Amino acid sequence: MSSDRTLLMRPSPAARESLSALTPILHRVVERIGETNDITTLALEPLEPPSMNFRCGQFNMLSALGVGEIAISMSSAPHERMLRHSIRDVGAVSHALCQSSVGDLVGVRGPFGSDWRVESARGDVDQRDTVVVAGGIGLAPLRGAVEELVRDTQRGGGRIFILVGAREPSQIVFRADLESWKARGAKVSLTVDLATSEWDGRVGLVTTLLADAGFDATNSRAMLCGPEVMMRFTARALIDLGMDPEGILVSLERNMQCGVGWCGHCQLGPLLLCRDGPVVPYAGLVSQLLTQRER
Amino acid sequence: MSTAMKDLVEAHPFMTSMNEESIELVSGCARNVVFAPGSLLCAEGGDADTFYLLRRGQVSISAHVPGRGSVVIETVGAGDVVGWSWLVPPYRWTFDARAMDAVGCIAIDGACLRVKALTNPSLGFALLSKVSMTLLERLQATRMRLLDLYGDHRVK
Ligand SMILES: Cc1cc2nc3c(=O)[nH]c(=O)nc-3n(C[C@H](O)[C@H](O)[C@H](O)COP(=O)(O)OP(=O)(O)OC[C@H]3O[C@@H](n4cnc5c(N)ncnc54)[C@H](O)[C@@H]3O)c2cc1C
Ligand code: FES
């Protein structure tokens, strides 16, 4: 037992890549941030270097030791020092992870899946407008991508429009980041479903932010993450405004188990979302699959 | 009616695909107005004699809830329409509409438009089609919000 534990803790750098796909690598919680009443961000550090290389939009399988394992997207950008995940407490495993304290150990398997393609766009700084639409915790898988994009705008890339919808004002995550992105040139618009007396901003669906946001729909791309119905409505509204469906990326969630395309739990039509997703273009097949009822 | 007013009315998204004659008739009942931040466009219970085509700024639609004060139900902005109650008896506002910032809009006299719509069925039909489309969009948005998409749906 103890030698197994040593193996998990001290893989050789060469063995690390293949090992990390199937065997959790132990990480220590080095910071814990309460974002809202039910969303917590954990900053993780491997017990042994090196740190993980990943792309924005990918996910890890995080294990709460003795409880279980769940898929959680990275909420940090690859260039940031610390690997972060932002977790909403919805059930047994997410609850255990949200309850962890600084110093606790968490298992990490990954990185898995496709990404928001900000890295490929960065080679030849993308001149198009980028419209980022997030609902609730959906801003977490987009946070790293926005960080990268904001760096790009400062190098002459296209404009960034960040549209965020939340149930109520207290559920808006990453407030400090939203302020910082605004200060660095991004246009940030927020809306809530239920206003409180202190809220003096917009009230309504996130799609109501699209019309007067100011982007050029015919020369832009979009990244959407949030409840699936919200993404469907937003994608349709963007297409109605003239955006090319191939340029609209959505991040889809299904039950993930193996993360490597073996078990089939994450199937959506012919796609295995742990491998072909979670980030996929909202064009053709995906838009059809999302309107079909799953059996 | 000035050509400037007709141009303003014609440019508003609510008027898209309305014919020339309808635009002229609507423009004849229209005037350009501005509201300072915080001022009321209409107040719950008051006579609904106007509707507004918003050109700039944001407007909150709210209701007074005992114990909670004024609760904002939704906000609307440039390109949207405020006020349906001019169309159906008893012509009373059912909500407050308040300017959240400097609001520029075209105010349309509901009584004037009702008379024109009665005598000109083509205008009446065009207006009702437009109003129905906008109401349908709002109804769908309200249904989506009823789904409480971001809520906690764990099985308790
Ligand atoms: C690729 C991917 C990335 C994700 N990224 C994040 C993230 O960054 N932050 C975050 O908080 N969550 C994320 N999730 C969702 C997270 O994996 C689930 O909330 C988690 O599996 C719930 O497990 P649990 O044991 O805590 O709760 P359970 O008891 O398993 O489930 C509790 C409730 O959540 C629902 N649920 C479970 N799994 C999912 C799922 N995959 N999608 C939607 N609803 C689900 C269940 O129907 C149930 O109502 C992601 C999921 C995927 C597939
Ligand atoms: S999670 Fe096993 S195939 Fe995708």
Side-chain angles (χ1 to χ4, degrees), chain A residues 173-232:
Chain A
V173 287
F174 309 137
R175 295 257 191 175
D177 290 314
L178 290 165
E179 284 303 320
S180 149
W181 295 331
K182 205 190 285 186
R184 288 184 280 157
K187 179 156 189 234
V188 176
S189 313
L190 310 176
T191 184
V192 296
D193 275 359
L194 300 172
T196 50
S197 49
E198 309 82 57
W199 178 253
D200 60 359
R202 299 195 34 182
V203 181
L205 279 186
V206 74
T207 45
T208 61
L209 300 176
L210 294 172
D212 62 354
F215 55 86
D216 172 6
T218 58
N219 184 31
S220 53
R221 57 179 170 162
M223 301 174 184
L224 320 182
C225 191
E228 214 163 279
V229 188
M230 178 221 101
M231 290 193 284
R232 250 168 34 213

Side-chain angles (χ1 to χ4, degrees), chain A residues 38-40 57-61 67-75 85-98 112 137-138 140-141 225 251-256 266 273-274 277-279, chain B residues 152-155:
Chain A
D38 63 353
I39 299 173
T40 303
Q58 289 190 296
F59 69 98
N60 278 322
M61 295 299 295
V67 185
E69 191 184 42
I70 56 173
I72 299 290
S73 305
M74 289 67 144
S75 59
H85 298 80
S86 302
I87 307 154
R88 183 165 184 217
D89 178 349
V90 296
V93 184
S94 53
H95 179 72
L97 288 168
C98 287
F112 299 121
I137 181 75
C225 191
S251 180
L252 299 179
E253 291 188 5
R254 286 295 181 277
N255 177 6
M256 304 277 179
C266 64
L273 286 178
C274 66
V279 180
Chain B
D152 176 356
H153 303 294
R154 79 180 87 185
V155 180

Side-chain angles (χ1 to χ4, degrees), chain A:
Chain A
M1 193 65 199
S2 64
S3 62
D4 285 353
R5 194 169 167 86
T6 311
L7 174 69
L8 290 181
M9 289 169 63
R10 301 183 193 287
S12 75
R16 189 184 176 93
E17 202 166 314
S18 54
L19 194 63
S20 67
L22 292 174
T23 315
I25 304 285
L26 284 181
H27 283 57
R28 192 177 301 286
V29 176
V30 289
E31 193 185 1
R32 179 183 185 280
I33 304 160
E35 304 282 358
T36 67
N37 67 330
D38 63 353
I39 299 173
T40 303
T41 296
L42 299 180
L44 303 174
E45 211 169 57
L47 297 192
E48 295 276 314
S51 296
M52 173 183 290
N53 287 318
F54 66 93
R55 298 186 305 278
C56 304
Q58 289 190 296
F59 69 98
N60 278 322
M61 295 299 295
L62 296 191
S63 36
L65 304 183
V67 185
E69 191 184 42
I70 56 173
I72 299 290
S73 305
M74 289 67 144
S75 59
S76 49
H79 73 260
E80 289 177 314
R81 202 173 53 84
M82 208 60 81
L83 176 67
R84 289 176 195 270
H85 298 80
S86 302
I87 307 154
R88 183 165 184 217
D89 178 349
V90 296
V93 184
S94 53
H95 179 72
L97 288 168
C98 287
Q99 291 301 306
S100 24
S101 309
V102 170
D104 285 355
L105 296 180
V106 168
V108 179
R109 244 172 6 103
F112 299 121
S114 57
D115 62 279
W116 294 112
R117 306 179 190 179
V118 281
E119 286 82 358
S120 57
R122 277 175 56 197
D124 49 343
V125 177
D126 204 310
Q127 299 293 330
R128 289 177 298 173
D129 289 345
T130 303
V131 185
V132 174
V133 187
I137 181 75
L139 189 55
L142 283 162
R143 190 193 158 278
V146 176
E147 269 297 327
E148 300 278 313
L149 288 165
V150 169
R151 292 206 321 175
D152 280 353
T153 16
Q154 292 173 332
R155 296 192 212 119
R159 298 175 300 170
I160 304 169
F161 298 81
I162 303 164
L163 315 181
V164 177
R167 184 169 192 262
E168 49 199 79
S170 63
Q171 291 291 319
I172 297 172
V173 287
F174 309 137
R175 295 257 191 175
D177 290 314
L178 290 165
E179 284 303 320
S180 149
W181 295 331
K182 205 190 285 186
R184 288 184 280 157
K187 179 156 189 234
V188 176
S189 313
L190 310 176
T191 184
V192 296
D193 275 359
L194 300 172
T196 50
S197 49
E198 309 82 57
W199 178 253
D200 60 359
R202 299 195 34 182
V203 181
L205 279 186
V206 74
T207 45
T208 61
L209 300 176
L210 294 172
D212 62 354
F215 55 86
D216 172 6
T218 58
N219 184 31
S220 53
R221 57 179 170 162
M223 301 174 184
L224 320 182
C225 191
E228 214 163 279
V229 188
M230 178 221 101
M231 290 193 284
R232 250 168 34 213
F233 269 69
T234 308
R236 276 192 227 140
L238 287 168
I239 294 166
D240 288 346
L241 287 171
M243 199 178 281
D244 177 2
E246 284 290 344
I248 302 174
L249 298 177
V250 294
S251 180
L252 299 179
E253 291 188 5
R254 286 295 181 277
N255 177 6
M256 304 277 179
Q257 299 276 319
C258 70
V260 290
W262 288 354
C263 71
H265 275 94
C266 64
Q267 190 177 358
L268 175 70
L271 306 175
L272 289 175
L273 286 178
C274 66
R275 186 192 62 194
D276 308 316
V279 180
V280 288
Y282 185 85
L285 179 69
V286 168
S287 65
Q288 285 165 28
L289 289 170
L290 289 188
T291 45
Q292 273 168 22
R293 211 170 282 188
E294 287 176 75
R295 274 174 259 219

